[in-house]
Amino acid sequence: MSRTISFSAAIVWLLIRHVHAGAQQNSNAGSISREPCFSKISSSCSEPISTRTLATASLGLDLVGGGSGSISLKSEDDGQSDDDQPDDEQSDDEVNSTAMRDHTKLNGGATTKAAVSPNHSSAPLRISSFKGKQIVREKKIDMRLQKKLERRRRKEEDKSHRVFAKKLKNRNHLNLSRKIVHAGFGLMFASLNHFLPREKFLPGMIIVSTGTLIMELLRYREGFGWMNDVLIYILGGSLRKHEMEGKFTGSFYYFLGVTITAASFPTTCATLGICQLALADPSASFFGRQTKDVYWSRIENGFFGIGRNKGFLGFLGGALFCLPFNYRVLSVAKFGGTKIIPGGQLNVAIASLALGVAGAFADLCVPTPALTMPKKILNVPMPPFHVDDNVVVPIFSGYACTKIFQYMGWTEGVDLARFFLL
């Protein structure tokens, strides 16, 4: 009886010591907090005991009762006999690892939460650079996306005028709409120069010429592609192919020629010079295109480049086309405040033909293609300026008009009629 009591007391004492040691170790380490079970140990706690603990218990039995034996713990629900147990026994390390894993479970199988002891010193914070690397990576992606959108926008801007340039006609085409627009603008500016005082007309033309130059310098740059869209909308098919492929339009040279002519010569001579720009230039081009197959009239290389790819028949057609208009304008003009023409109608006819010849000759002297400025001078990029007939024709015609009036003896001044032809 006493041996049985001693045996039971030894088992209970060892189990309580084992549970109490495990709970104290877990609370000191600050890793797992768990309430130990003191009752219903086999059914509630279900904590496996390592072979080392069982050996200690067996040694305790020997010390207490003087006998020897081994302890084997079985669950009450285990209906298997000792013969049914597997022959392979788990090693101490596997049993201990299983015990440590089971210590983290409660009765219902839920994982316990780690409870850190207030006396336990927390580990230093570990700052990770992953977030910073992620931000840098996102910034790089945003920059790539922005550059991609910028390239796409540039392509769209280039597409707006380059696609339209493919539909335009080159300078070898007749392009009647361009010639009509050319003549209409010339007669309009001649009328404004005739009606408006110089103090008003000249500043207005300076503003128009300067604004056009700024437009020409900017419309091929980034962010100013909308200017090409405006030009296409206003002028449309009257534009030429090269004017949408990096070159200036004829509008700038047209306005510049009118401005210089109005500022350089008397009002009557400037007006007649602008009229030659309106009529002699497009008519000479028209007759030159129509007679391009008459080879004997063509000028191939010209005289030091002057008249290159032009024709004598085009020059003659432009001069004769201006003759009726000039004759009518001078016939209704006043000479020295009277309608008496010095030299009679013959001088009027000669002067009219001479003005037409001057305008057509100025157009003939400008080579095709035109002389252009070098792209770089001393490694400095230059704008695409070139020698244009819209500048040469009115200036040369205005200058020729002053000399013709002097030759005819019309020194007292020639005043044109209020409405030119009436």
Side-chain angles (χ1 to χ4, degrees):
M1 183 67 180
S2 61
R3 183 179 180 85
T4 303
I5 294 175
S6 299
F7 178 82
S8 300
I11 292 176
V12 171
W13 176 75
L14 288 175
L15 292 177
I16 291 175
R17 181 179 178 183
H18 172 71
V19 172
H20 180 69
Q24 185 176 2
Q25 181 178 3
N26 292 335
S27 62
N28 292 336
S31 59
I32 299 175
S33 175
R34 188 176 71 84
E35 182 180 0
C37 298
F38 295 98
S39 62
K40 301 180 181 179
I41 295 175
S42 61
S43 63
S44 299
C45 295
S46 302
E47 293 183 355
I49 302 175
S50 62
T51 55
R52 184 178 299 176
T53 304
L54 294 177
T56 307
S58 177
L59 180 61
L61 290 177
D62 295 337
L63 293 176
V64 174
S68 61
S70 63
I71 299 176
S72 176
L73 296 179
K74 297 182 181 180
S75 60
E76 295 178 356
D77 298 333
D78 190 4
Q80 296 179 352
S81 61
D82 293 337
D83 297 333
D84 296 334
Q85 294 296 328
D87 298 334
D88 297 333
E89 294 181 359
Q90 293 181 343
S91 62
D92 292 345
D93 294 337
E94 292 178 352
V95 173
N96 290 334
S97 63
T98 303
M100 292 299 296
R101 185 174 65 252
D102 291 341
H103 271 299
T104 61
K105 294 182 180 179
L106 294 177
N107 295 337
T111 305
T112 59
K113 298 181 180 180
V116 181
S117 175
N119 297 328
H120 180 69
S121 60
S122 60
L125 295 176
R126 182 180 180 183
I127 301 176
S128 176
S129 60
F130 174 75
K131 188 174 183 181
K133 293 181 180 179
Q134 186 177 6
I135 294 174
V136 173
R137 190 180 298 109
E138 291 177 355
K139 288 183 177 179
K140 291 182 178 179
I141 295 174
D142 294 341
M143 292 177 65
R144 292 175 183 174
L145 180 60
Q146 185 177 1
K147 290 180 179 179
K148 184 177 180 180
L149 294 176
E150 185 177 355
R151 288 194 298 268
R152 182 179 299 176
R153 182 169 58 82
R154 288 180 181 176
K155 289 182 180 179
E156 291 177 355
E157 289 180 355
D158 293 342
K159 185 178 179 180
S160 64
H161 66 274
R162 293 188 182 276
V163 172
F164 189 77
K166 297 179 180 179
K167 303 177 182 179
L168 295 176
K169 303 168 184 177
N170 56 25
R171 61 173 62 253
N172 295 325
H173 197 273
L174 187 60
N175 201 349
L176 284 175
S177 62
R178 182 183 181 89
K179 291 172 173 54
I180 294 173
V181 172
H182 185 101
F185 272 97
L187 294 177
M188 181 189 70
F189 285 121
S191 302
L192 291 175
N193 183 64
H194 176 64
F195 288 115
L196 296 177
R198 174 178 294 214
E199 294 77 12
K200 293 183 179 179
F201 177 74
L202 192 58
M205 288 305 303
I206 292 174
I207 293 174
V208 172
S209 301
T210 305
T212 307
L213 176 60
I214 294 174
M215 178 199 69
E216 295 290 350
L217 293 174
L218 294 179
R219 67 189 181 96
Y220 291 114
R221 296 181 179 270
E222 179 183 353
F224 295 94
W226 58 270
M227 294 183 177
N228 293 312
D229 298 335
V230 173
L231 282 176
I232 293 171
Y233 179 79
I234 296 175
L235 300 177
S238 62
L239 293 169
R240 282 178 176 170
K241 188 179 183 67
H242 69 275
E243 293 175 338
M244 283 293 159
E245 293 180 339
K247 302 296 183 180
F248 283 2
T249 61
S251 302
F252 165 68
Y253 300 103
Y254 201 103
F255 300 147
L256 181 63
V258 171
T259 303
I260 296 175
T261 303
S264 303
F265 308 108
T267 302
T268 300
C269 294
T271 301
L272 289 173
I274 297 172
C275 287
Q276 307 317 302
L277 170 65
L279 300 176
D281 185 8
S283 60
S285 175
F286 174 80
F287 289 110
R289 296 287 185 273
Q290 296 299 319
T291 59
K292 63 181 179 179
D293 295 331
V294 182
Y295 296 105
W296 62 265
S297 66
R298 304 302 297 176
I299 305 174
E300 294 182 359
N301 296 326
F303 182 71
F304 295 103
I306 297 175
R308 183 176 56 207
N309 294 329
K310 297 293 183 72
F312 288 111
L313 294 180
F315 158 72
L316 184 60
L320 294 176
F321 183 83
C322 296
L323 177 59
F325 179 85
N326 295 335
Y327 183 82
R328 178 60 183 174
V329 170
L330 293 176
S331 297
V332 298
K334 293 181 179 181
F335 299 86
T338 63
K339 291 189 176 181
I340 300 174
I341 303 173
Q345 295 294 329
L346 182 59
N347 285 350
V348 173
I350 294 173
S352 300
L353 180 60
L355 279 174
V357 170
F361 179 75
D363 181 76
L364 178 67
C365 291
V366 178
T368 301
L371 299 176
T372 59
M373 179 180 291
K375 294 183 178 180
K376 289 185 178 181
I377 298 178
L378 299 177
N379 292 329
V380 178
M382 293 288 107
F385 291 117
H386 65 270
V387 178
D388 196 277
D389 52 2
N390 292 329
V391 177
V392 177
V393 170
I395 296 175
F396 185 82
S397 299
Y399 175 76
C401 186
T402 59
K403 297 303 179 181
I404 292 170
F405 286 178
Q406 290 177 4
Y407 179 79
M408 295 297 175
W410 299 341
T411 56
E412 294 181 1
V414 179
D415 298 326
L416 301 180
R418 182 174 179 81
F419 298 104
F420 285 108
L421 303 177
L422 301 176

